[in-house]
Amino acid sequence: MGHVNGTTKVEITAPATAKVGDTVDVVWKFTQAASKNPDIIDLPANSVQPSGTLKAAGAQTADIAMQGPRENPPIPKGGAMTLSDMKGTLKLTAAGQVTLTPDAYVVNALSTDTKCAPTEPVQPAATITVTAGGGNSSSGSPDPSQSASPSQSPSSSSSPSSSPSTSPSSTPSASPSPSGTGGGQTDFTGKVVEVPYTCASPIGEKKATSPVQINAKKSGGSYGLTVQFKKSVMDSPIDIPANSVKPSMQIVLGGADQGSVKVTGPTNPAAIKSGAPIEIPDLTGTYKPGATGTSTLSPGVLTINALGTTTTCTPDTSLVSLTLDTAEQASGASGGGNGSSSGGSSSAGGTSTSGGLAETGAADHGTLKALGLLAGTAVLLGAAVFTYLPGRRRVR
């Protein structure tokens, strides 16, 4: 989605006066986010968490770590962003005037980090007058400063956070016996291949790698296909309702046969709790050969529909998982892409479409986060050029 320009309005509160040695509480309150929630996905309650840095300067300098709880009402597509108050503490070490100025902040929602930073100088939002002596802990009293003029051209970037799982287990045997004329072997086990994908999403192309295995069971002249993902690929960032996630894939045919076979999986039968592993079910379909000879089967375009979004991932390279000796069947694939009785006609290739995101935060390829669409569809905020609300200095 690129950079977003916007103005963030905040109110900083802190004690008006304190003593050297005191530890004071500071509160950062968002009164206006830099942008609304894009028209991509509804954000559930308690799915958004802000964190940031408040700069102390003057009598002492420090970067104050600020963080708010993951608390928010449900935020619909296009709705105003609601961010919780961030809090932090500062131990005072020198007498004089200590100013507090907001700096960069990050909004985490559904495992996606949106980073916001001012591009122009920001004026202090609060000032603490620190006197010598003391040492008692002091909590924050509001101290907003005068308002500063909003300005444009801030920058922000959205980078999905990464929680990839470990590499898949060892590769099974991948040398199935011929099956072209019936009889003999009926079960054929493919090898696990690490498929590098390029995945389309509202925030751009992302790279991901997933371990995939294609197995087949011969029945007459056709084959029942099963595609397996060998490990859970991520933990759920939020509670996912039952029957809301449905995956599918195009298996690409090669060698003697040409075309593709569509395989699909069921929706998740039960709700998935936040933090629980997300399992991709077996994807199944039927392959009816359209040519006699040695035919290969490779994982193709992966599509995941969930919560109203579509994620489409296209392999960067074709990797053969299964090889079969096939015999031509009437109305078989034979280059026409109709080798699936469960999925109907489909093309051998696939084009990326906008929607959700299957991704990792790795620089190259990481383990596929198959439901990374939940972690990457919400580009929440624009950049943070700050303005401040005028307010009275209140002293405890």
Side-chain angles (χ1 to χ4, degrees):
M1 180 169 285
H3 293 238
V4 179
N5 296 327
T7 297
T8 297
K9 294 183 180 180
V10 304
E11 183 181 76
I12 303 299
T13 62
T17 61
K19 296 180 179 180
V20 172
D22 287 349
T23 298
V24 297
D25 296 329
V26 183
V27 178
W28 171 325
K29 180 180 179 65
F30 292 91
T31 60
Q32 177 183 303
S35 74
K36 295 182 178 181
N37 182 27
D39 296 325
I40 300 172
I41 189 171
D42 295 334
L43 296 175
N46 304 326
S47 62
V48 180
Q49 182 177 37
S51 61
T53 301
L54 191 66
K55 295 281 189 180
Q60 74 179 84
T61 59
D63 288 346
I64 306 171
M66 308 291 291
Q67 188 172 61
R70 195 176 293 277
E71 294 178 358
N72 61 276
I75 303 174
K77 302 180 188 72
M81 288 300 305
T82 302
L83 304 176
S84 63
D85 294 350
M86 300 194 298
K87 297 181 179 180
T89 60
L90 173 65
K91 184 174 179 64
L92 301 172
T93 59
Q97 301 289 311
V98 177
T99 61
L100 303 175
T101 304
D103 198 50
Y105 67 95
V106 176
V107 177
N108 178 274
L110 306 183
S111 299
T112 295
D113 283 342
T114 298
K115 300 177 182 180
C116 303
T119 58
E120 297 181 1
V122 180
Q123 297 301 311
T127 301
I128 305 173
T129 300
V130 183
T131 58
N136 296 323
S137 177
S138 173
S139 60
S141 301
D143 180 24
S145 71
Q146 292 82 16
S147 61
S149 299
S151 58
Q152 297 300 318
S153 301
S155 63
S156 71
S157 61
S158 179
S159 56
S161 58
S162 59
S163 301
S165 61
T166 57
S167 299
S169 57
S170 61
T171 302
S173 170
S175 300
S177 300
S179 60
T181 57
Q185 184 179 355
T186 58
D187 293 327
F188 304 92
T189 302
K191 67 180 179 180
V192 174
V193 288
E194 298 283 341
V195 183
Y197 284 103
T198 297
C199 300
S201 79
I203 58 174
E205 288 187 345
K206 299 294 177 180
K207 298 291 186 179
T209 296
S210 179
V212 184
Q213 182 182 33
I214 302 174
N215 300 320
K217 185 177 182 66
K218 191 170 186 293
S219 177
S222 298
Y223 298 85
L225 301 181
T226 301
V227 177
Q228 296 179 332
F229 289 81
K230 304 309 291 182
K231 277 185 177 292
S232 172
V233 293
M234 70 172 289
D235 293 338
S236 174
I238 60 169
D239 291 343
I240 302 175
N243 301 315
S244 59
V245 179
K246 186 173 181 63
S248 63
M249 175 186 281
Q250 295 289 342
I251 295 177
V252 178
L253 304 175
D257 210 352
Q258 299 295 314
S260 66
V261 179
K262 183 177 181 180
V263 290
T264 61
T267 58
N268 53 310
I272 304 171
K273 291 294 185 182
S274 177
I278 297 174
E279 305 287 349
I280 298 180
D282 290 353
L283 311 180
T284 59
T286 301
Y287 166 42
K288 182 182 292 187
T292 298
T294 300
S295 301
T296 61
L297 290 79
S298 304
V301 175
L302 170 68
T303 302
I304 301 172
N305 295 312
L307 300 179
T309 65
T310 299
T311 296
T312 303
C313 297
T314 303
D316 294 341
T317 186
S318 182
L319 298 174
V320 174
S321 173
L322 182 63
T323 300
L324 298 171
D325 281 358
T326 57
E328 181 178 353
Q329 304 294 307
S331 301
S334 63
N338 59 348
S340 170
S341 62
S342 64
S345 298
S346 58
S347 64
T351 57
S352 296
T353 60
S354 62
L357 175 65
E359 65 179 318
T360 66
D364 184 11
H365 289 93
T367 302
L368 174 64
K369 297 174 67 173
L371 286 184
L373 59 96
L374 298 175
T377 53
V379 182
L380 299 175
L381 293 180
V385 166
F386 301 93
T387 62
Y388 303 107
L389 300 181
R392 295 176 301 169
R393 178 174 305 201
R394 288 170 282 177
V395 183
R396 306 186 83 186

